[in-house]
Amino acid sequence: MRLNVGVVFGGKSVEHEVSIISALQMVENMNKLKYNPITIYLSKENEFYYHKDMNKIDFFKDLNRVKLVSKKILFQKNHPSNEIHEIKNNRLKKLYPIDLVFLLVHGTTSEDGTLSAFFELLDMPYVGSGILSSAINQNKWKMKQILENNNIQSVSYIGFYESDYYNNKEHIIRKCEEIGYPLIIKPASLGSSVGITKCYDREGLNKAIITSLQYDVEIVVEKVILDLLELNCSALGDYSNLEVSSIEQVFQKDEILSYQDKYLRGKTKNSKGMESTNRELPAKINEKLRLEIETTAVNAIKIIGGSGVSRIDFLYDKSEGKLYLNEINTIPGSLAFYLWAAKGKEYKTLIDDLIVLALNKYRTKNTKISSYDTNLLSLPKNFNKGKISN
Ligand SMILES: Nc1ncnc2c1ncn2[C@@H]1O[C@H](COP(=O)(O)OP(=O)(O)O)[C@@H](O)[C@H]1O
Ligand SMILES: [Mg+2]
């Protein structure tokens, strides 16, 4: 029997459109003999919609129309099964049972653990990292702190809150200048280069911080690596077993590898989305660096407790000969399928692996004790004279 796989994409994030591309690519590559994909669009207003044509990219040309012509739905736990229901005239009508959910969202309020939490609460198996690791990875500042404590190095940086900046600008600017110009300023929780600027002097630094503060209350300021190689690889699995993909080198076009570079450049009718980034795959790097990347990627995913498929992005300083971990994406664009294809794993197989992992994770979770059947309130009347501790 085919598994009904709810593919959830969209979401309230600057990477909304990227997520649509990732999801439809994935659906196209699913083995339809094993899975029945049910595409579920999460609007920018955080409402779920279903339409049978949602597996076609043209359907999303006008996002307002998508909401008008699609069925507004709800996820319903109907123990032990999970279902989606259409909301029609204030009534619920069952549409499909859902065996598991495939999260294909990028960025804040989705890839950051929010959606993982939603499906944890519904007790539904889902493909994607858990709440904690997703949340850590979405925050560049907190992620660096955790990795640093485990001897995985980031480029010299400082992180601060909006209030730190406005309450003591001089202190923050001094700390940044101790790192030394040029600096790169990033909102802690965004992606796709949104809100990121480089600066070369104090005036530029203040401007860049104010730009980043339009997007986030947490800011990261880093040293710019001038003699830079950007190297990425993907990891698949969880704490018990992790496989690493081929390593790619990606090339900058503008000053910063921008949203344009990543998704829009060279876009044609049949654009392959994230696949169209300028890259060399496999990257031409020596064996020592390859091993360092692979080992660091596996350690990093283990430290943050990631599961599923992640992309781990590195910055390599050629003149220093030093490797730094830049960021981890727990739901990478295109699920980083091209990095696996370069290693001989077809996209179809990657999807199979992810689904097996998700189902195993769910089963393991359910073997652990999470509650007791005893009802405290049914105990003898004077039980509450004692102290209750939790
Ligand atoms: N410390 C740095 N030195 C030089 N370039 C950097 C540095 N940090 C980021 N960049 C450039 O900016 C791009 C976006 O930064 P990144 O931290 O990856 O943010 P995002 O989450 O938006 O992808 C990188 O792909 C790289 O091209
Ligand atoms: Mg990046």
Side-chain angles (χ1 to χ4, degrees):
M1 214 178 69
R2 294 197 303 166
L3 284 178
N4 274 358
V5 181
V7 181
V8 176
F9 58 97
K12 193 176 183 169
S13 138
V14 292
E15 291 160 292
H16 185 89
E17 284 77 7
V18 182
S19 153
I20 298 175
I21 299 170
S22 283
L24 300 197
Q25 269 179 350
M26 198 279 290
V27 167
E28 202 179 303
N29 284 281
M30 278 177 128
N31 183 344
K32 309 297 185 308
L33 297 174
K34 289 184 178 175
Y35 314 114
N36 174 31
I38 297 168
T39 36
I40 298 167
Y41 170 68
L42 178 60
S43 73
K44 291 183 182 174
E45 293 77 32
N46 282 348
E47 289 166 323
F48 292 110
Y49 290 90
Y50 168 78
H51 191 286
K52 64 175 176 34
D53 291 336
M54 271 183 185
N55 53 354
K56 299 180 184 102
I57 196 82
D58 285 348
F59 187 73
F60 292 93
K61 276 191 175 151
D62 176 354
L63 294 178
N64 284 323
R65 187 186 155 270
V66 170
K67 289 182 277 183
L68 287 175
V69 300
S70 304
K71 294 181 163 108
K72 199 165 170 185
I73 60 150
L74 281 183
F75 283 89
Q76 277 287 104
K77 179 90 205 163
N78 199 358
H79 187 76
S81 71
N82 299 292
E83 293 155 0
I84 53 169
H85 288 243
E86 179 186 0
I87 314 169
K88 207 171 178 184
N89 303 328
N90 285 328
R91 281 169 178 261
L92 292 183
K93 185 178 154 231
K94 182 175 162 182
L95 281 182
Y96 298 107
I98 300 284
D99 296 304
L100 86 154
V101 173
F102 210 117
L103 302 186
L104 253 168
V105 285
H106 305 306
T108 33
T109 71
S110 44
E111 187 182 351
D112 62 0
T114 312
L115 264 187
S116 306
F118 178 73
F119 290 108
E120 289 280 353
L121 186 65
L122 286 171
D123 193 25
M124 286 178 80
Y126 59 90
V127 174
S129 261
I131 303 169
L132 182 64
S133 55
S134 308
I136 295 168
N137 288 329
Q138 192 59 37
N139 188 307
K140 297 185 201 303
W141 181 15
K142 309 298 175 203
M143 184 209 66
K144 285 179 198 293
Q145 288 175 317
I146 289 169
L147 293 181
E148 228 168 50
N149 277 333
N150 288 281
N151 299 320
I152 295 186
Q153 278 211 329
S154 298
V155 186
S156 303
Y157 77 98
I158 66 158
F160 54 89
Y161 292 102
E162 181 168 27
S163 54
D164 296 333
Y165 176 68
Y166 286 116
N167 292 340
N168 199 345
K169 246 184 221 178
E170 272 170 36
H171 173 72
I172 296 291
I173 298 297
R174 193 172 61 245
K175 286 275 165 208
C176 293
E177 291 187 339
E178 276 169 20
I179 297 174
Y181 295 107
L183 291 165
I184 183 161
I185 291 76
K186 309 177 180 180
S189 297
L190 259 79
S192 291
S193 306
V194 175
I196 297 187
T197 341
K198 283 183 187 167
C199 68
Y200 304 86
D201 54 26
R202 192 172 293 184
E203 193 192 338
L205 175 59
N206 278 302
K207 264 195 193 157
I209 293 174
I210 288 162
T211 302
S212 281
L213 284 173
Q214 288 176 359
Y215 297 94
D216 205 339
V217 293
E218 294 174 52
I219 303 297
V220 170
V221 174
E222 274 175 35
K223 186 167 186 57
V224 169
I225 298 180
L226 294 169
D227 202 6
L228 175 70
L229 278 189
E230 288 195 61
L231 299 164
N232 306 335
C233 81
S234 174
L236 172 68
D238 63 13
Y239 57 88
S240 63
N241 183 34
L242 281 158
E243 224 185 305
V244 277
S245 71
S246 272
I247 298 168
E248 65 172 342
Q249 181 187 349
V250 289
F251 296 95
Q252 293 183 343
K253 279 278 173 57
D254 301 334
E255 253 209 321
I256 292 169
L257 188 57
S258 66
Y259 196 84
Q260 287 281 333
D261 283 328
K262 285 179 184 165
Y263 311 119
L264 304 176
R265 201 174 290 281
K267 208 169 179 188
T268 61
K269 204 167 159 230
N270 300 313
S271 171
K272 291 180 176 166
M274 283 61 77
E275 217 188 339
S276 61
T277 301
N278 261 321
R279 60 169 53 88
E280 184 155 273
L281 180 58
K284 291 199 179 83
I285 51 172
N286 63 39
E287 192 61 9
K288 184 168 165 275
L289 183 55
R290 187 180 63 77
L291 268 176
E292 191 182 350
I293 289 175
E294 289 179 357
T295 317
T296 314
V298 168
N299 286 342
I301 297 301
K302 236 176 144 168
I303 289 161
I304 54 115
S307 64
V309 69
S310 315
R311 202 191 66 231
I312 305 98
D313 296 353
F314 294 90
L315 302 174
Y316 180 70
D317 188 328
K318 279 194 275 179
S319 32
E320 271 188 16
K322 273 188 113 169
L323 182 72
Y324 301 99
L325 198 151
N326 181 39
E327 61 166 343
I328 301 173
N329 295 281
T330 45
I331 309 181
S334 296
L335 290 181
F337 78 88
Y338 49 91
L339 295 179
W340 291 101
K343 214 189 169 184
K345 194 190 278 285
E346 276 184 55
Y347 200 175
K348 251 189 190 55
T349 317
L350 174 65
I351 295 166
D352 284 347
D353 290 354
L354 286 168
I355 289 177
V356 169
L357 251 163
L359 292 174
N360 283 341
K361 186 180 172 189
Y362 181 76
R363 272 184 215 117
T364 307
K365 189 182 93 175
N366 284 334
T367 62
K368 304 294 173 196
I369 300 167
S370 59
S371 70
Y372 292 108
D373 283 339
T374 333
N375 180 359
L376 260 186
L377 304 177
S378 68
L379 292 175
K381 268 189 181 162
N382 61 351
F383 89 97
N384 61 353
K385 296 226 167 88
K387 192 172 166 247
I388 294 194
S389 55
N390 60 7

